[in-house]
Amino acid sequence: MHSTVFLIEFGAIILGLGLLGRVAGRLRFSPIPLYLLAGLAFGNGGLLPLGASEEFVAIGAEIGVILLLLMLGLEYTAGDLVSNLKTQYPAGLVDFGLNAVPGAVAALLMGWGPVAAVVLAGVTWISSSGVIAKVMGDLGRLGNRETPVILSILVLEDLAMAVYLPIVTALLAGVSLAAGSLTLAIALGVAGAVLFVAVRYGRVISRFVSSDDPEKLLLVVLGLTLLVAGVAQQLQVSAAVGAFLVGIALSGEVAEGTHTLLSPLRDLFAAVFFVFFGLHTDPAGIPPVILPALALALVTAGTKIATGHWAARRAGVGVKGRWRAGGTLVARGEFSIVIAGLAVTAGIEPALGPLATAYVLILVIVGPLTARYTEPLAVYLTGRRVRPRPLPAAAPSPPTSPEDVRESVPEPDQDPAGRA
């Protein structure tokens, strides 16, 4: 009977997610807010709480986080990361200062303590790579001059997670300063070692993993990723960071083939992850935090726009491109939920989960709108609309003879302007 109920519940969840994904596709916005709302509906205090399938959903959610970070790592090579660190680190520092500090300050003002302040700082800091990539593709901006600036900031944020997540994990576990320092040292050592191996021996690793058989490639990459993620978790580094580093180590045809094979699995388990986060958030806790979430969303939308504008200006991008870069970075999504999910699981602050849910729901909806309309609105408000310049008045031409008129008639192979 238990297995029957499980199959019915889990089948209904997957079917519901598929239908919600179709609705989001028709409306041309990210399905993340719909997945979160579905989790709220089926969680404790929701319309129809689940029972039998919740444990399996928890395991699926953990796999979803691992696959999200693996696929993100596949987007970049170790050389890209090193290059971005060297050239764009000032933009990364500005991004951290402008967007992490408001979250930390908000947590302290609400009396949540320093650990919750570190967590909320991460929630407001990290933009959603998935939502932003989709928005840029939908708007046809992948070839714009500001796009490398946006991608550099996203890469730096993702790389910073290799340091940030172990710190958060240690703080949530309540370990001592010495143990926390050891955890961070291990994380930095592992990250540095993987980056070194990826730079020096990335081709060797890719040849070892490579296979012409899609089934074998899928099994090897997925098995390697879960193994490394489990070892990283055992070392208290973070399973997500381990998966991210595996993605970085793979390159070339292996990365492309893996991306194609794992994309459907990632989408499935990532959707399960968002539902799982919603399951553990009491809907009754959202109304009390909706005003702080709105205020935080308004402030950090402005700071993200300022970050993108400054970084694009530093890269020599034009005025319109600066505003487009800033507006595109506003969306928060999967990584904010991942960070908040760690805190919810640890149980450090009951209101943190509802606040993070409301915050992400607001910005994942507002983000595509700011990406589209920040630039025209800013140009309008600053009075920099491009107006066609009036043509200078033509000088009066001298009188022409009948012969001059005949000579001015264009030949058959010329256009009226006289161009060949």
Side-chain angles (χ1 to χ4, degrees), residues 69 96 99-101 103-104 107 113-127 155-173 180 183-188 191 236-242 244-245 334-344 348 352 356:
L69 272 294
F96 172 77
N99 298 287
V101 171
V115 176
V118 174
V119 173
L120 195 56
V123 171
T124 59
W125 172 23
I126 304 295
S127 297
V155 169
L156 289 170
E157 288 180 351
D158 299 333
L159 184 60
M161 289 189 69
V163 177
Y164 173 80
L165 287 178
I167 294 175
V168 171
T169 303
L171 291 174
L172 294 175
T183 299
L184 179 58
I186 293 173
L188 292 175
Q236 296 185 345
V237 173
S238 170
V241 171
F244 179 66
L245 294 175
E334 60 273 21
F335 298 113
S336 297
I337 297 298
V338 168
I339 295 166
L342 296 173
V344 170
I348 63 162
L352 182 56

Side-chain angles (χ1 to χ4, degrees), residues 313-359:
R313 180 180 180 182
R314 179 175 176 270
V317 178
V319 175
K320 290 186 176 182
R322 299 171 196 172
W323 290 114
R324 287 195 297 267
T328 304
L329 288 169
V330 167
R332 276 34 164 222
E334 60 273 21
F335 298 113
S336 297
I337 297 298
V338 168
I339 295 166
L342 296 173
V344 170
T345 303
I348 63 162
E349 177 55 52
L352 182 56
L355 177 67
T357 301
Y359 175 80

